[in-house]
Amino acid sequence: MIHSTPRLRFAPSPTGPLHLGGARTAMYNWAAARALGGTFLLRIEDTDQARSTEASLRIILAGLRWLGIDWDEGPEQGGDYGPYFQMQRLHLYREAADRLLAEGHAYLCYCTPEEIEVGRKELEALKAGFSGYNRRCRSLSSEQRAAFERDGRKPNVRFKMPDARVMQVHDLVRGHVEVNTKELDDWVMLRPDGVPLYNFACVVDDIGMQITHVVRGEEHFLNGIKQRLLFEALGAECPLYAHIPLILNMEGKKLSKRDADTNMLDYRDKGFPAEAVFNYIALLGWGFSGDRDVFTRAEMVGAFKIEGIGKSGSKFDEEKLRWMCGEYVRHWTPAEFVQRARPWLADAVPTAAFTTHAAWLQNALACYQERVAILNELAAKVGWLFADPAMDEAAAKNLVKDPASKQWLAAYAEHLQNSNLPPSWPADRQGVDDVVHLPTKKDATAAACAFWTPSAIEHDCRAFTETLGVKFGHFVHPVRAALTGTDKGPGLFDVLFLLGKDTCVRRLRTAAT
Ligand code: GLU
């Protein structure tokens, strides 16, 4: 290897948000740097001044931070190899261009866009297979150059590509590849205003920042060929390259806005857990082990190898991402679930529930931990806990399925009126919610409680249906409809326990009328 310390970079252009592909590129470079015990830096490729914005930069940095991808050098971090913004490095590009001009690797090109187009058409007509820039300015005499200068023309600097060199290159992902340079143009490195083009700035910076490995999208593979030649011309060894396949949609086509959110922060704002999104993105081209898809950042770093990135395009599967989110949500503690869900519940849950009734709320939300994957799904599900719900279609059907249901509800309301159901929220429930953690199949604490726990409620309910002469399985549906307004949700006895006596009795009576 060239340098003893591995140095990798993510080099976004701040012309838009951090999207899925960018996040994956950043992550693989980050993971490789961490796995190799090296340095991961961010370089901001802001030379497209018309499209680069401060807002995009902020969004990219926030997206990376949200995913837990931290950088050792770069914006807001500094470092010994800066500046890390290309527009602050113009003098370095000028110097490198002067050197390449002096050594005959580059030349000044005075052609106007119209002249270039005419030349291109002429080449096309020859049908010789190459129709790029006709290299007219490669062989200008000093008089011709002076004449152009007198005309006020300002030159671009172009790189001289070898005529038809067969390059054997090794890519860490694609393996051995052969490319003939005859298909590649003499490309523009530097504009008259001193602003570099991507390939040029990239190489000057990869040299200056001592980059050892580059992982990036396969759309840069041919750029990599141009860049290798430039490293050679500048007398520097080029980094090891890994060009990774595109992320495709489920049909195997290029991913579009319809298939996935284009801004990673949209996933954040919807309540996709960051660790789950990280984990899912890691799998878009890399595998942890044959039989395990869920792993932590640290486990990824422990196992990551650039050579382990797959050659074929991976498909973005929204359903799998959701499954992954569910996996993470399920494994939080109930307290963590409340804390992480809170930002999405501001409108749906009264503040007091978070403060004076924290144990009750934790029990209530715990019933949903198996039922949500994305945190913004929660608010719409928990309304029945706080206000008498409107009845949805399925619930309304369940309420009238048996002609006697309303009588059962009225009878159950009377029965509960004299029961040991806990008091209804927001009355003080201390001592009840503290000891019962929902969802509960069988709560061992039942005997020790002054109030009925869900197990006790169930026990009582079964006995009640027997005295009523109604099948338990038939009885529960209209009761659930009356209490929650839906046919879904937590276990019915968890529902009764959470709602408490007054609320249950009131809702059962209302539904019975
Ligand atoms: N700014 C380039 C991009 O966003 C960087 C490519 C590279 O990593 O060399 O595609």
Side-chain angles (χ1 to χ4, degrees):
M1 249 335 295
I2 1 169
H3 312 287
S4 49
T5 338
R7 291 176 55 83
L8 292 92
R9 63 5 178 235
F10 176 52
S13 305
T15 52
L18 180 69
H19 50 73
L20 210 58
R24 182 187 62 162
T25 299
M27 183 186 297
Y28 286 178
N29 282 290
W30 171 89
R34 297 287 174 258
L36 295 165
T39 299
F40 175 64
L41 64 92
L42 279 194
R43 177 171 79 222
I44 306 305
E45 303 205 328
D46 55 354
T47 54
D48 184 345
Q49 289 162 278
R51 293 172 58 232
S52 294
T53 65
E54 180 67 24
S56 288
L57 174 66
R58 298 279 135 232
I59 290 169
I60 291 169
L61 299 186
L64 292 171
R65 285 218 172 87
W66 177 64
L67 286 168
I69 298 173
D70 56 339
W71 54 99
D72 309 307
E73 299 172 22
E76 298 172 0
Q77 196 70 26
D80 295 339
Y81 297 78
Y84 294 90
F85 289 81
Q86 289 188 326
M87 287 307 287
Q88 293 169 24
R89 300 173 62 86
L90 296 185
H91 59 289
L92 297 168
Y93 310 126
R94 184 76 260 171
E95 268 168 38
D98 287 345
R99 196 178 131 200
L100 290 163
L101 284 167
E103 292 174 4
H105 293 296
Y107 59 95
L108 298 176
C109 170
Y110 293 88
C111 292
T112 63
E114 296 73 29
E115 287 164 349
I116 292 170
E117 186 53 20
V118 170
R120 207 185 58 73
K121 290 230 166 86
E122 283 167 6
L123 284 175
E124 213 168 52
L126 293 177
K127 295 203 183 342
F130 177 78
S131 59
Y133 174 58
N134 67 8
R135 300 180 169 177
R136 181 180 76 156
C137 292
R138 254 204 197 199
S139 46
L140 292 182
S141 64
S142 45
E143 290 76 35
Q144 284 170 310
R145 263 200 295 276
F148 280 134
E149 298 275 346
R150 272 198 305 281
D151 282 356
R153 291 201 189 194
K154 300 266 180 270
N156 286 303
V157 181
R158 268 186 204 273
F159 186 69
K160 267 190 202 165
M161 290 291 278
D163 268 341
R165 180 167 145 195
V166 178
M167 295 185 55
Q168 315 275 351
V169 302
H170 183 76
D171 188 283
L172 293 179
V173 168
R174 304 177 72 164
H176 181 83
V177 188
E178 203 178 276
V179 182
N180 192 321
T181 61
K182 72 172 193 272
E183 282 139 34
L184 301 173
D185 235 346
D186 279 1
W187 47 279
V188 174
M189 298 170 9
L190 195 66
R191 290 209 188 84
D193 61 3
V195 177
L197 275 95
Y198 158 68
N199 280 311
F200 180 50
C202 178
V203 170
V204 171
D205 293 344
D206 281 347
I207 295 172
M209 296 177 182
Q210 298 194 10
I211 299 302
T212 57
H213 303 68
V214 172
V215 182
R216 63 187 171 197
E218 69 181 3
E219 69 275 18
H220 287 297
F221 180 76
L222 279 183
N223 285 328
I225 300 295
K226 296 178 183 172
Q227 292 176 15
R228 282 171 194 270
L229 290 163
L230 186 51
F231 274 102
E232 198 177 287
L234 286 167
E237 205 169 332
C238 79
L240 296 170
Y241 287 119
H243 289 96
I244 60 178
L246 282 178
I247 301 174
L248 307 170
N249 68 14
M250 290 306 281
E251 284 82 54
K253 305 222 172 69
K254 200 172 172 238
L255 203 66
S256 78
K257 277 187 190 143
R258 265 168 289 123
D259 307 307
D261 282 330
T262 45
N263 182 349
M264 293 316 296
L265 294 185
D266 289 345
Y267 288 108
R268 178 194 69 181
D269 296 344
K270 286 179 190 165
F272 284 68
E275 327 73 301
V277 177
F278 178 98
N279 191 156
Y280 179 72
I281 293 175
L283 290 172
L284 290 170
W286 180 78
F288 178 71
S289 78
D291 58 358
R292 225 179 107 194
D293 274 350
V294 182
F295 46 83
T296 64
R297 289 186 185 92
E299 286 175 317
M300 178 188 188
V301 166
F304 191 78
K305 280 197 181 65
I306 297 176
E307 294 86 342
I309 302 173
K311 279 190 181 49
S312 52
S314 39
K315 290 182 178 163
F316 175 76
D317 181 351
E318 167 100 23
E319 229 164 83
K320 180 154 186 194
L321 170 60
R322 286 178 167 269
W323 167 82
M324 183 71 79
C325 291
E327 285 295 296
Y328 277 84
V329 169
R330 243 191 296 296
H331 286 99
W332 292 338
T333 63
E336 198 178 357
F337 182 55
V338 174
Q339 185 214 335
R340 301 221 17 186
R342 186 168 180 171
W344 284 270
L345 294 173
D347 295 334
V349 175
T351 315
F354 289 103
T355 54
T356 49
H357 291 73
W360 176 80
L361 183 67
Q362 184 174 302
N363 273 330
L365 295 188
C367 297
Y368 285 95
Q369 238 179 297
E370 299 265 347
R371 293 183 161 80
V372 299
I374 319 301
L375 296 173
N376 74 351
E377 293 167 350
L378 196 53
K381 295 185 192 287
V382 298
W384 62 273
L385 284 158
F386 305 96
D388 292 351
M391 198 78 55
D392 72 18
E393 209 177 311
K397 263 193 205 146
N398 280 341
L399 202 58
V400 295
K401 212 180 238 163
D402 192 301
S405 326
K406 293 202 172 180
Q407 286 158 32
W408 307 340
L409 298 182
Y412 195 38
E414 294 326 304
H415 174 74
L416 292 181
Q417 182 66 68
N418 303 309
S419 74
N420 280 340
L421 268 191
S424 290
W425 188 89
D428 183 11
R429 286 171 51 108
Q430 223 171 353
V432 180
D433 298 302
D434 289 335
V435 293
V436 177
H437 300 290
L438 302 183
T440 333
K441 295 279 181 293
K442 286 276 169 280
D443 42 82
T445 51
C449 263
F451 300 98
W452 280 354
T453 62
S455 290
I457 299 168
E458 175 172 0
H459 184 77
D460 172 75
C461 180
R462 284 183 187 273
F464 178 74
T465 53
E466 264 171 43
T467 58
L468 209 59
V470 177
K471 267 198 189 150
F472 180 71
H474 291 173
F475 182 76
V476 291
H477 297 298
V479 174
R480 172 185 290 285
L483 296 180
T484 68
T486 80
D487 64 341
K488 297 178 204 63
L492 182 61
F493 306 104
D494 290 348
V495 166
L496 280 141
F497 174 80
L498 290 164
L499 287 177
K501 189 190 284 183
D502 290 353
T503 304
C504 287
V505 169
R506 184 181 65 251
R507 290 187 190 174
L508 290 168
R509 280 186 183 148
T510 308
T513 55

